[in-house]
């Protein structure tokens, strides 16, 4: 959606093709260095299309887009969409160099990902500052995830420094990276290849101003990842929405199960029998995808599977106490609700390991080693109970 | 918040450490500290195996089996084979 086909962008791209190592007599942009640079005008079309571009800044290597440090209402809405839907997959900016304020050769250079939400957080934190923003091509993924994949990585950073001719734009040789980019970037290799010293800045863009003030020294608190209840709550829609797939499949199966009689499907029986199960399944999914993440430190045990199971069994029990119509007369079905739904909650809660800031692969592997067999056994037992119940109902036994 | 104990694959080779402090700078969970000119692992159980310290240690004093701490990615790799990757472009999971 942010694909840039404007003449200005093409101009910047053409200039970028000319690496600084090329000979001065051959390279046309080197010759331009001594001549006054023709400042490009930002046309109303660009401003209309990308309101965050406010103008251009002149550099020895050509003109660079200047960006606003304010976030519009529309962008706040777009950020919300990123949190609740697949909208985030196409929320990108064109990689390259941008200017916040009116930076010069001595201004700081901060690096970020081309996920527009990440980029917006950075520019929002740079109000009244004169800073260069170097955007890496991370395929629209945030810094930490992209660093894990390697797209926010050493090769891309070196490549982007060369493409944007940063060596000629910045008079110094320091480049500030978000600390969470460190899993992907090898600072000593970047220094070797480009001469730029990587400084790992704060984890959060909001601390950038204080980081500049402190002479580019990240304090202990700036280096620590936080994971507050609000942080966790923000992540839950993307847990709940995918889990609704399980809910939809479960609803159809359980409806057909209760409706199935020897003479065909009986809709009245289907609805009566399935309704408590559908409500309890929804409760189990919310226990795993919402309650467990939000109350993560409060729920006992470190294992996410155990936390989810505990939240699930508690919520099933509470729901049954509050609403008597959730109780089924058959004891085998009551047993089934306590067998199946806490396990669904456990499975859903385990998925949240992918969204946390502190779970490692070895730990998740250990959890899966005992959790997956338990899920399979539970599924088999649940099916067995359902088959036996139906067989008993049909007087086949 | 802590995850499971005694699972991290983080290894430290003190003979190679120069005490430059890069591991302290990049670790998001305060696993390291510099004491008497050398890095020390002060809390191994906080390590999430992100690999930031290993990637940024110019002296090869650290190693870790890095990977995604994501159940969806690991279950997918069990079913389909291959390395567990947090591929947000194809997955429905909200990992990123």
């Amino acid at each position: 959606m942010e694909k840039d086909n404007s003449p200005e962008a093409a101009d910047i791209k053409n200039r970028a093709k000319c690496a600084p190592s090329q000979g001065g007599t051959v390279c046309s942009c080197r010759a331009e260095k001594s001549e006054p640079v023709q400042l490009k005008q930002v046309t109303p079309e660009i401003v209309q299309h990308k309101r965050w571009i406010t103008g251009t800044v002149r550099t020895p290597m050509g003109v660079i887009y200047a960006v606003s440090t304010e976030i519009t209402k529309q962008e706040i809405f777009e950020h919300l969409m990123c949190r609740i839907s697949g909208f985030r997959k196409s929320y990108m900016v064109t990689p390259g160099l941008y200017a916040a304020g009116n930076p010069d050769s001595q201004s700081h250079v901060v690096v970020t990902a081309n996920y527009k939400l990440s980029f917006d957080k950075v520019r929002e934190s740079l109000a009244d500052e004169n800073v260069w923003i170097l955007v890496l091509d991370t395929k629209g993924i945030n810094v930490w995830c992209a660093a894990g994949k390697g797209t926010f990585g050493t090769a891309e950073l070196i490549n982007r420094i060369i493409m944007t001719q940063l060596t000629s734009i910045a008079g110094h040789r320091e480049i500030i990276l978000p600390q969470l980019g460190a899993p992907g970037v090898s600072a000593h290799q970047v220094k070797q290849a480009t001469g730029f010293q990587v400084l790992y800045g704060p984890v959060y863009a909001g601390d950038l101003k204080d980081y500049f003030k402190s002479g580019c020294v990240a304090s202990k608190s700036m280096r620590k990842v936080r994971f507050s209840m609000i942080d966790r709550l923000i992540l839950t829609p993307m847990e709940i929405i995918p889990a609704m797939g399980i809910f939809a499949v479960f609803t159809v199966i359980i409806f057909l199960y209760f409706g199935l009689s020897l003479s065909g499907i009986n809709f009245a029986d289907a609805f009566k029998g399935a309704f408590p199960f559908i409500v309890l399944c929804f409760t189990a999914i919310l226990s795993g995808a919402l309650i467990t993440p939000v109350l993560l430190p409060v729920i006992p045990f470190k294992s996410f599977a155990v936390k989810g199971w505990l939240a699930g069994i508690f919520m099933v029990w509470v729901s049954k106490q509050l609403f008597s119509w959730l109780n089924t007369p058959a004891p085998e079905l009551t047993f089934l609700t306590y067998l199946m739904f806490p396990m669904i909650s456990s499975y859903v809660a385990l998925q949240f390991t992918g969204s946390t800031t502190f779970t490692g692969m070895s730990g998740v592997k250990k959890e899966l080693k005992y959790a997956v067999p338990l899920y399979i056994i539970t599924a088999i037992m649940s099916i067995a109970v359902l088959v036996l119940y139906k067989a008993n109902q049909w007087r086949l036994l | 918040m802590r995850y499971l104990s005694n699972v991290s694959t983080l290894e430290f080779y003190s003979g190679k450490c120069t005490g430059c402090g890069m591991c302290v700078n990049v670790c998001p969970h305060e696993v390291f500290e510099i004491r008497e000119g050398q890095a020390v692992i002060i809390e191994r159980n906080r390590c999430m195996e992100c690999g930031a310290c290993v990637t940024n240690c110019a002296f090869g004093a650290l190693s870790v089996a890095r990977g995604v701490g994501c159940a969806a990615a690991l279950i997918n790799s069990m079913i389909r084979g291959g390395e567990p990757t947090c591929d947000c472009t194809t997955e429905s999971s909200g990992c990123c």
Side-chain angles (χ1 to χ4, degrees):
Chain A
M1 69 180 296
E2 295 294 339
K3 199 162 190 285
D4 197 338
N5 293 320
S6 62
E8 281 81 356
D11 181 64
I12 290 171
K13 265 186 204 161
N14 285 335
R15 283 158 200 268
K17 279 180 195 162
C18 183
S21 56
Q22 282 178 273
T25 49
V26 186
C27 175
S28 59
C29 13
R30 281 237 157 184
E32 270 182 63
K33 257 178 99 175
S34 53
E35 292 166 18
V37 176
Q38 196 66 44
L39 199 64
K40 298 282 175 190
Q41 291 302 312
V42 175
T43 60
E45 291 80 52
I46 293 173
V47 176
Q48 200 179 23
H49 185 56
K50 294 176 187 167
R51 296 210 172 141
W52 49 272
I53 293 179
T54 53
T56 49
V57 167
R58 191 195 303 253
T59 78
M61 289 297 119
V63 291
I64 300 285
Y65 284 132
V67 299
S68 160
T69 55
E70 277 170 23
I71 303 298
T72 62
K73 276 185 188 153
Q74 194 195 330
E75 280 163 337
I76 293 170
F77 175 72
E78 288 166 357
H79 296 175
L80 180 72
M81 292 298 289
C82 288
R83 301 292 190 187
I84 61 170
S85 72
F87 176 77
R88 69 189 185 286
K89 288 178 185 168
S90 56
Y91 201 49
M92 303 181 203
V93 288
T94 309
L97 194 64
Y98 295 89
N102 191 15
D104 59 22
S105 68
Q106 292 311 308
S107 301
H108 293 303
V109 181
V110 297
V111 182
T112 191
N114 81 322
Y115 178 34
K116 186 156 183 288
L117 183 55
S118 309
F119 177 71
D120 287 351
K121 292 280 170 200
V122 171
R123 61 187 179 88
E124 189 183 16
S125 69
L126 295 174
D128 308 318
E129 297 281 345
N130 298 313
V131 175
W132 299 109
I133 307 173
L134 183 64
V135 178
L136 302 190
D137 185 3
T138 61
K139 317 289 176 208
I141 304 289
N142 70 72
V143 170
W144 208 4
C145 284
K149 284 175 201 280
T151 45
F152 189 101
T154 312
E156 165 62 11
L157 179 59
I158 293 171
N159 185 33
R160 203 56 61 180
I161 289 172
I162 294 169
M163 274 173 75
T164 54
Q165 301 181 69
L166 195 62
T167 319
S168 306
I169 293 169
H172 56 82
R173 289 292 172 267
E174 284 179 348
I175 189 160
I176 299 164
L177 264 68
Q179 189 199 307
L180 295 185
V185 176
S186 170
H188 52 278
Q189 286 178 13
V190 174
K191 167 103 180 176
Q192 223 169 12
T194 64
F196 275 92
Q197 177 70 53
V198 169
L199 304 177
Y200 286 109
V203 166
Y204 299 96
D207 287 330
L208 269 173
K209 279 191 174 190
D210 288 338
Y211 175 76
F212 297 150
K213 269 185 214 152
S214 69
C216 294
V217 178
S219 67
K220 226 175 175 180
S221 68
M222 286 182 195
R223 290 202 305 260
K224 208 169 171 196
V225 173
R226 297 186 290 265
F227 201 41
S228 69
M229 192 186 272
I230 299 291
D231 294 334
R232 298 193 300 272
L233 187 66
I234 287 170
L235 296 169
T236 57
M238 290 318 295
E239 300 295 321
I240 298 167
I241 295 164
M244 283 300 126
I246 302 176
F247 178 65
V249 172
F250 179 86
T251 302
V252 171
I253 292 172
I254 210 74
F255 194 79
L256 287 175
Y257 170 81
F258 279 103
L260 199 64
S261 70
L262 289 170
S263 54
I265 299 275
N266 181 329
F267 283 95
D269 282 352
F271 191 77
K272 201 177 149 208
F275 191 63
F277 275 75
I278 292 168
V279 172
L280 287 173
C281 181
F282 190 73
T283 309
I285 286 173
L286 285 189
S287 303
L290 175 71
I291 295 169
T292 309
V294 170
L295 300 178
L296 205 59
V298 183
I299 304 171
F301 299 102
K302 289 173 184 168
S303 153
F304 279 53
V306 175
K307 280 175 189 283
W309 187 85
L310 286 174
I313 200 157
F314 179 73
M315 286 308 293
V316 168
W317 180 77
V318 167
S319 306
K320 283 176 177 245
Q321 299 305 309
L322 289 176
F323 309 105
S324 58
W325 46 267
L326 285 175
N327 293 299
T328 49
E332 55 266 58
L333 291 185
T334 305
F335 167 74
L336 185 65
T337 54
Y338 282 110
L339 173 76
M340 188 165 53
F341 296 120
M343 277 299 180
I344 290 178
S345 172
S346 166
Y347 176 80
V348 173
L350 195 52
Q351 308 300 307
F352 192 63
T353 50
S355 298
T356 68
T357 59
F358 63 96
T359 56
M361 187 164 77
S362 300
V364 177
K365 270 186 179 167
K366 192 178 173 184
E367 284 216 58
L368 289 175
K369 213 185 261 177
Y370 67 80
V372 169
L374 278 176
Y375 295 147
I376 294 170
I377 291 168
T378 305
I380 293 169
M381 280 175 73
S382 303
I383 292 167
V385 171
L386 286 170
V387 169
L388 286 174
Y389 177 75
K390 207 67 175 176
N392 198 23
Q393 204 182 24
W394 289 347
R395 300 180 198 286
L396 297 176
L397 295 177
Chain B
M1 258 171 287
R2 300 275 180 97
Y3 196 40
L4 308 185
S5 300
N6 305 319
V7 289
S8 173
T9 52
L10 180 67
E11 292 289 340
F12 175 57
Y13 313 106
S14 58
K16 292 182 179 174
C17 177
T18 61
C20 71
M22 203 60 173
C23 51
V24 178
N25 287 340
V26 297
C27 179
H29 293 296
E30 295 178 312
V31 169
F32 304 96
E33 219 175 74
I34 298 291
R35 286 182 190 160
E36 295 165 7
Q38 272 239 321
V40 182
I41 297 177
I42 54 162
E43 193 46 271
R44 176 185 294 273
N45 288 335
R46 279 202 295 248
C47 173
M48 59 172 290
E49 302 174 314
C50 71
C53 55
V54 177
T55 313
N56 283 282
C57 180
F59 311 98
L62 288 156
S63 76
V64 76
R66 57 184 285 179
V68 287
C70 170
L74 286 162
I75 292 171
N76 271 342
S77 88
M78 274 185 205
I79 297 167
R80 295 178 198 158
E83 279 295 298
T85 56
C86 164
D87 195 350
C88 312
T89 49
T90 53
E91 265 193 42
S92 56
S93 146
C95 56
C96 296

